[in-house]
């Protein structure tokens, strides 16, 4: 199956693209986009991969679903289009970034610069029906993104995986922690963050400390 995705990812994921589940998934997604409003825009479904080629990945942040409101989702987890109000989880991510690295809180919520600098912003499910959270779960996306995580874990070394919340921790359970740094914490959503499970995790500074120890360039987290 010819999937429009960045070339290095196409090579590494070619086996997945030819599996029956993926063909069924694409048929489902095409029908959903044809018959109703879905997010992100069709050309942005694989934006995480297009902005962060396989060999340029240094950090992986795992999300769950794309935002399902108008003009929010841009194909990168936790990220929203410029001009769109920052969702509560993203506000808390920026607050922790400010506390951890004393960086100014950005005026917008578009994380595309992070993706361009080597942060794979990967949702477990890459599409969603408008105003219906979780509507494209259990259709095959999770199997596909599990394969992405496995391929990265097996074929790269010294990556940083940021697993925020129970869902991300479960999804990242098979990452080889002997080869990579796996950092976990509560989810940045207000429910978790306000119970003391998010703020103070210092994941941004810990990520950069590890990358420097491994002889890699730290991430510039400023937007």
């Amino acid at each position: 199956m010819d999937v429009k995705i960045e070339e290095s990812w196409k090579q590494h994921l070619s086996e997945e693209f030819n599996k029956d589940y993926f063909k069924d998934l694409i048929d489902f997604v095409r029908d959903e986009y044809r018959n109703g409003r879905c997010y992100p825009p069709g050309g942005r479904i694989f934006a995480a991969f297009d902005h962060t080629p396989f060999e340029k990945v240094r950090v992986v942040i795992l999300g769950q679903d794309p935002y399902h409101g108008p003009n929010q989702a841009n194909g990168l987890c936790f990220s929203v289009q410029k001009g769109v109000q920052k969702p509560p989880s993203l506000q808390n991510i920026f607050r922790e970034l400010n506390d951890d690295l004393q960086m100014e809180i950005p005026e917008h919520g578009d994380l595309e610069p992070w993706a361009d600098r080597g942060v794979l912003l990967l949702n477990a499910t890459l599409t969603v029906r408008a105003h219906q959270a979780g509507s494209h779960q259990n259709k095959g996306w999770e199997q596909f993104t599990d394969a992405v995580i496995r391929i990265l874990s097996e074929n790269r070394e010294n990556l940083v995986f940021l697993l925020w919340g129970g869902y991300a921790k479960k999804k990242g359970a098979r990452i080889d922690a002997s080869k990579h740094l796996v950092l976990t914490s509560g989810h940045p959503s207000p429910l978790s963050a306000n119970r003391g499970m998010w703020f103070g995790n210092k994941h941004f500074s810990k990520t950069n400390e590890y990358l420097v120890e491994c002889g890699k360039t730290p991430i510039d987290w400023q937007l």
Side-chain angles (χ1 to χ4, degrees):
M1 175 178 289
D2 184 31
V3 177
K4 292 181 180 179
I5 194 172
E6 192 275 333
E7 189 60 35
S8 64
W9 282 108
K10 181 177 285 190
Q11 295 173 13
H12 283 280
L13 294 168
S14 58
E15 289 187 14
E16 293 302 309
F17 295 150
N18 290 315
K19 291 180 178 178
D20 288 341
Y21 88 86
F22 192 83
K23 295 174 184 177
D24 292 341
L25 168 64
I26 293 304
D27 286 342
F28 166 78
V29 171
R30 282 174 176 160
D31 285 344
E32 287 284 289
Y33 274 74
R34 189 180 299 120
N35 296 320
R37 186 174 295 279
C38 296
Y39 301 118
R44 300 281 306 181
I45 292 173
F46 294 107
F49 304 93
D50 296 335
H51 282 278
T52 317
F54 184 82
E55 293 298 336
K56 292 188 177 181
V57 176
R58 288 183 283 160
V59 179
V60 181
I61 298 178
L62 289 183
Q64 189 165 357
D65 264 14
Y67 298 117
H68 53 83
N71 302 315
Q72 288 184 304
N74 63 1
L76 309 173
C77 73
F78 293 106
S79 176
V80 291
Q81 305 275 32
K82 287 182 179 177
V84 176
Q85 184 176 359
K86 291 174 285 189
S89 291
L90 186 55
Q91 292 182 37
N92 286 336
I93 289 172
F94 288 158
R95 281 182 60 191
E96 176 58 27
L97 182 63
N98 174 260
D99 290 342
D100 187 9
L101 296 175
Q102 292 73 55
M103 286 189 173
E104 288 186 24
I105 293 178
E107 295 181 359
H108 63 85
D110 186 356
L111 304 183
E112 196 170 286
W114 290 6
D116 291 334
R117 296 168 193 158
V119 182
L120 182 67
L121 297 166
L122 181 66
N123 274 318
T125 302
L126 300 189
T127 57
V128 69
R129 199 178 302 147
H131 309 299
Q132 297 186 42
S135 50
H136 288 186
Q137 291 179 2
N138 303 314
K139 302 296 183 181
W141 280 131
E142 294 89 346
Q143 185 173 343
F144 173 70
T145 50
D146 280 347
V148 171
I149 295 166
R150 173 180 53 79
I151 289 168
L152 281 169
S153 179
E154 291 177 354
N155 293 281
R156 296 290 310 279
E157 293 184 355
N158 304 132
L159 300 181
V160 182
F161 290 86
L162 303 182
L163 310 181
W164 299 338
Y167 183 89
K169 293 174 191 175
K170 184 177 180 180
K171 191 168 183 67
R174 295 184 181 179
I175 296 166
D176 186 348
S178 69
K179 294 171 59 181
H180 308 285
L181 176 64
V182 180
L183 297 175
T184 64
S185 79
H187 195 276
S189 67
L191 180 63
S192 177
N194 293 337
R195 290 164 54 196
M197 301 169 66
W198 165 255
F199 293 115
N201 64 33
K202 298 191 179 299
H203 279 189
F204 302 102
S205 60
K206 290 177 180 177
T207 292
N208 281 350
E209 289 166 4
Y210 177 80
L211 291 174
V212 170
E213 288 173 3
C214 295
K216 296 185 176 186
T217 304
I219 301 294
D220 175 7
W221 296 105
Q222 190 67 62
L223 295 178

